[in-house]
Amino acid sequence: MALSMEPWSRTTWLGALLRSLRLRAAEIRRGLRAAEAVQILLCGALGSVTGAIVAALRGTVLLLHAAIFGIPLGSFLSVGIGISHTSLLFVPLLGGLLLGLAARWRRRRRTAEGGELVDPIEANALYGGKMSFRDSTWLTFTTLLSNGAGASLGMEAGYSQLGAALYSRLGQYFRLRRADLRIFVTAGAGAAIGAAFNAPLAGAFYGYELILGSYNVRALAPVAAASICAVITQRSLFHVPALFELKATLFASTERTYLLFALLGIGAAGVGILAMQAVTWTERGWRHLPLPEWLRPAIGGAAVTAIAFCWPQVLGSGHGAVQFHFDTRWSVPALAALLLAKLAASALSVGSGFRGGLFSSSLFLGCLFGAVFAQSAAWFAPTLESAHAAFMLAGMGAVAAAVIGAPLTMVFLVLEGTGDFPVTVGVIIAVTVAATIVRILFGYSFATWRFHLRGLTIRGAHDVGWISDMTVARLMRADPKVVRDNIGLKALRLTFPAGSAKRVFVADAQGRYMGSIDMADVHNSEIDDALEGAVAADLAEKPDLFLLPFENVRTALARYEESQTEDLPVLDSRSERTVTGYMTEAYALKRYSQELERMRSAELGERDLFSLGPLPRK
């Protein structure tokens, strides 16, 4: 008897243990949702993990470049020295072919699974911070493959994608609130960028400006903790060189010099807009070629090779080339030619399908533009020769701010790299002028320009996804008063006595919507003499004014204003036209105002107003 009871007892004990663990996990999740301090500590801990991952990925890229292109281990491909011509001839082409075949396989799989890859900005703008870790890992892998093959792009897109996805996955596991999950995504991207450039302030402000879309008190500590911990961990594990090292005094600031920084900002805006447009022109050109999509990266790799045989510094992200040009002085024609070559190589890389970002590339483009500007200015005023490095720094920050759309990030990147406040003031001037001109004349950063080309109407990471979540289907009432079109008005009066219904909806024998009737008109004593023989169809009006379940609250409010009515029917579809519910303008305004207040409370860090709970059905 004892032996027969043993399996049952063991099963019961295991079941009780599992239930206890599940309950404990639920308690931890609830506690984390409400414990801001614990969230900050978790962001810091994950920042250390992110810093180690970024360092490992960077080391992998350096190993690939050393093994494939024959350069010394630890040196940068973009320096352009010691590259094997044989490798240069074949590696970008073969790497592009491998990338194209991998992308083709992935597209077929995604077509079967459905869905699109979401980057951190899009996730925070439309999906409340929800990202796929698997998809992000794939993007990081393809970015690593592209950079390893010598594409003229940086790894920063892969770093930030993986960091943000890691934080998003953990946040989803703990079922964080929408605003908290968006902050986690911001912290992950900021930690990755901080580690990538060995610059914690730049990483944090990259998160605030680009990934969150705003600066608020609630996000200050988590994002800063993540970025600082990522950089500290990386520094403790590996020797990470700075993006640039300057030993001499940069320049003595004067009013005239600062005016030149503003002029440099104007030119940098033009370079930034040209870089973004060049990518679009290249993509359109590839689409018009009679080539299968999977073959484009290989042809793009061959084109980059052709450019690199003349200007090998176009390869890779540009990290090493930035330091090279701070240490070496080229002529203006040579710098201008390399600037155009790098711009063309980056556009060809992105347009043909290589994965990567323009962060590092835009820094290198700006460095070259600043050098051209400095030497040109020195022709007219030789005293400006001492400001050569300062103009290069300002050009670097201004072009990158124009392309990336994160001006404060670039200012802090320069400040952390130099510690020179007079130079930083000049960089602020150039960055401000460039970013303002691009915003006014072009209206997009590189990321938002790509969204625009895809048909998305988002201009940044500001949370607009909650509007999409507030659909008519979630806000409507499901008990509409529907009557047949042939019901007499006398019968209609009896069915709905005065005060029992404000509006009824008329449908034909097939249930198709024919219009609505204000019951005040039905009970109007002035039509008593016309009641005999009159039916509901005689009073039905506005058959073309209705709502559909998938439309959002903003669309509904615009429809109310257009129709000058207080309630509208909800139809299942335009073709079937069956009335499934109705929604009032007053309730739509109430819910819209509540959600706006929730967003305001989240930005101010007010927990009590933000925890109103899920959107109720009406």
Side-chain angles (χ1 to χ4, degrees):
M1 185 67 179
L3 291 175
S4 62
M5 289 293 293
E6 186 177 351
W8 179 86
S9 301
R10 187 183 298 115
T11 303
T12 303
W13 179 81
L14 288 174
L17 178 61
L18 290 175
R19 285 193 297 272
S20 175
L21 290 175
R22 283 196 294 267
L23 290 173
R24 184 57 180 165
E27 291 176 2
I28 293 174
R29 289 174 179 174
R30 286 193 296 270
L32 183 63
R33 282 168 57 90
E36 183 175 345
V38 178
Q39 292 182 21
I40 295 171
L41 292 174
L42 186 57
C43 283
L46 276 179
S48 297
V49 176
T50 303
I53 291 174
V54 169
L57 289 172
R58 178 191 287 111
T60 303
V61 170
L62 293 176
L63 286 172
L64 287 173
H65 287 167
I68 296 174
F69 290 96
I71 61 176
L73 182 61
S75 62
F76 290 98
L77 181 65
S78 59
V79 175
I81 298 175
I83 298 175
S84 166
H85 284 189
T86 304
S87 298
L88 179 58
L89 186 63
F90 294 105
V91 170
L93 187 149
L94 295 177
L97 182 61
L98 179 60
L99 181 68
L101 292 174
R104 182 187 184 188
W105 170 81
R106 183 64 176 173
R107 276 193 298 272
R108 288 181 175 178
R109 187 169 181 179
R110 290 201 63 82
T111 301
E113 296 174 354
E116 292 290 337
L117 191 145
V118 176
D119 77 350
I121 299 175
E122 188 179 353
N124 269 357
L126 299 178
Y127 304 109
K130 293 181 179 179
M131 298 176 64
S132 168
F133 185 75
R134 182 175 61 179
D135 289 348
S136 299
T137 303
W138 174 259
L139 176 64
T140 303
F141 167 73
T142 54
T143 304
L144 181 67
L145 178 60
S146 300
N147 200 264
S152 188
L153 300 169
M155 278 291 298
E156 293 75 25
Y159 295 155
S160 61
Q161 182 79 24
L162 189 60
L166 176 64
Y167 276 70
S168 176
R169 182 67 188 88
L170 194 66
Q172 291 178 65
Y173 173 77
F174 285 109
R175 300 176 186 174
L176 296 182
R177 298 181 179 90
R178 184 187 186 96
D180 293 337
L181 187 57
R182 294 179 72 247
I183 291 174
F184 262 53
V185 168
T186 303
I193 294 299
F197 291 99
N198 198 16
L201 284 177
F205 275 86
Y206 176 88
Y208 298 137
E209 291 186 282
L210 206 63
I211 308 301
L212 190 61
S214 64
Y215 169 83
N216 63 67
V217 177
R218 179 74 181 84
L220 171 62
V223 178
S227 183
I228 292 171
C229 289
V231 174
I232 290 176
T233 300
Q234 184 177 232
R235 289 175 180 175
S236 63
L237 293 176
F238 304 94
H239 171 68
V240 182
L243 179 63
F244 48 84
E245 293 180 357
L246 303 175
K247 300 180 177 63
T249 302
L250 295 174
F251 82 116
S253 60
T254 63
E255 290 76 8
R256 183 183 65 173
T257 309
Y258 285 138
L259 287 175
L260 289 175
F261 279 117
L263 183 61
L264 183 148
I266 296 174
V271 173
I273 293 174
L274 178 60
M276 290 184 280
Q277 288 282 25
V279 172
T280 304
W281 296 333
T282 306
E283 287 182 334
R284 289 174 180 170
W286 282 114
R287 284 197 294 267
H288 284 90
L289 290 177
L291 293 172
E293 190 172 354
W294 60 268
L295 193 57
R296 292 175 189 172
I299 307 301
V304 171
T305 292
I307 297 174
F309 266 110
C310 299
W311 296 278
Q313 288 187 338
V314 303
L315 297 172
S317 63
H319 278 225
V322 168
Q323 184 64 50
F324 177 87
H325 284 280
F326 275 113
D327 298 334
T328 308
R329 191 70 60 89
W330 282 14
S331 66
V332 170
L335 288 170
L338 179 57
L339 173 64
L340 294 176
K342 178 64 177 178
L343 195 152
S346 296
L348 283 168
S349 297
V350 176
S352 62
F354 280 100
R355 289 290 192 171
L358 290 183
F359 197 129
S360 294
S361 296
S362 63
L363 290 173
F364 183 34
L365 290 171
C367 176
L368 294 173
F369 176 73
V372 170
F373 184 91
Q375 294 191 45
S376 301
W379 286 344
F380 301 99
T383 57
L384 292 175
E385 179 65 27
S386 61
H388 186 274
F391 283 124
M392 291 177 68
L393 289 169
M396 185 170 65
V399 172
V403 174
I404 304 303
L408 284 178
T409 301
M410 304 310 162
V411 171
F412 281 109
L413 186 64
V414 173
L415 178 60
E416 290 180 286
T418 64
D420 191 306
F421 284 96
V423 167
T424 303
V425 173
V427 173
I428 290 174
I429 294 172
V431 163
T432 302
V433 171
T436 302
I437 290 176
V438 170
R439 180 175 56 83
I440 293 174
L441 297 183
F442 191 63
Y444 300 93
S445 66
F446 180 66
T448 55
W449 176 240
R450 306 287 286 175
F451 294 145
H452 169 72
L453 295 178
R454 287 170 49 196
L456 297 176
T457 58
I458 57 176
R459 293 297 186 96
H462 303 284
D463 190 6
V464 297
W466 63 271
I467 297 175
S468 301
D469 290 341
M470 291 185 66
T471 59
V472 170
R474 300 187 67 186
L475 298 176
M476 72 178 187
R477 291 185 63 102
D479 56 345
K481 308 296 191 297
V482 182
V483 298
R484 278 287 310 278
D485 56 343
N486 60 356
I487 186 175
L489 294 186
K490 285 186 176 181
L492 189 58
R493 278 186 173 183
L494 294 175
T495 305
F496 300 102
S500 63
K502 187 175 182 179
R503 184 173 294 275
V504 297
F505 307 105
V506 181
D508 61 15
Q510 289 74 38
R512 296 171 58 83
Y513 176 65
M514 297 183 60
S516 63
I517 299 176
D518 189 337
M519 289 305 296
D521 295 336
V522 176
H523 290 283
N524 189 347
S525 59
E526 295 181 359
I527 67 168
D528 288 347
D529 297 335
L531 288 180
E532 194 66 36
V535 295
D538 298 330
L539 291 183
E541 58 181 0
K542 300 178 180 178
D544 296 327
L545 285 175
F546 52 84
L547 299 171
L548 297 172
F550 60 83
E551 293 177 326
N552 62 51
V553 65
R554 187 173 288 178
T555 303
L557 291 176
R559 198 76 48 79
Y560 287 122
E561 185 176 357
E562 172 192 348
S563 63
Q564 295 296 309
T565 186
E566 296 180 358
D567 43 25
L568 287 172
V570 179
L571 308 187
D572 59 346
S573 66
R574 293 184 182 276
S575 57
E576 297 296 331
R577 294 179 63 88
T578 302
V579 180
T580 60
Y582 73 98
M583 189 169 72
T584 64
E585 182 183 23
Y587 183 71
L589 283 171
K590 176 183 176 182
R591 290 299 304 135
Y592 188 67
S593 300
Q594 286 178 345
E595 290 301 311
L596 286 176
E597 182 62 21
R598 284 161 62 95
M599 296 302 108
R600 187 195 71 83
S601 301
E603 291 180 358
L604 296 177
E606 298 174 2
R607 305 291 297 186
D608 54 337
L609 291 177
F610 185 68
S611 56
L612 293 176
L615 185 70
R617 291 184 178 271
K618 178 70 176 172

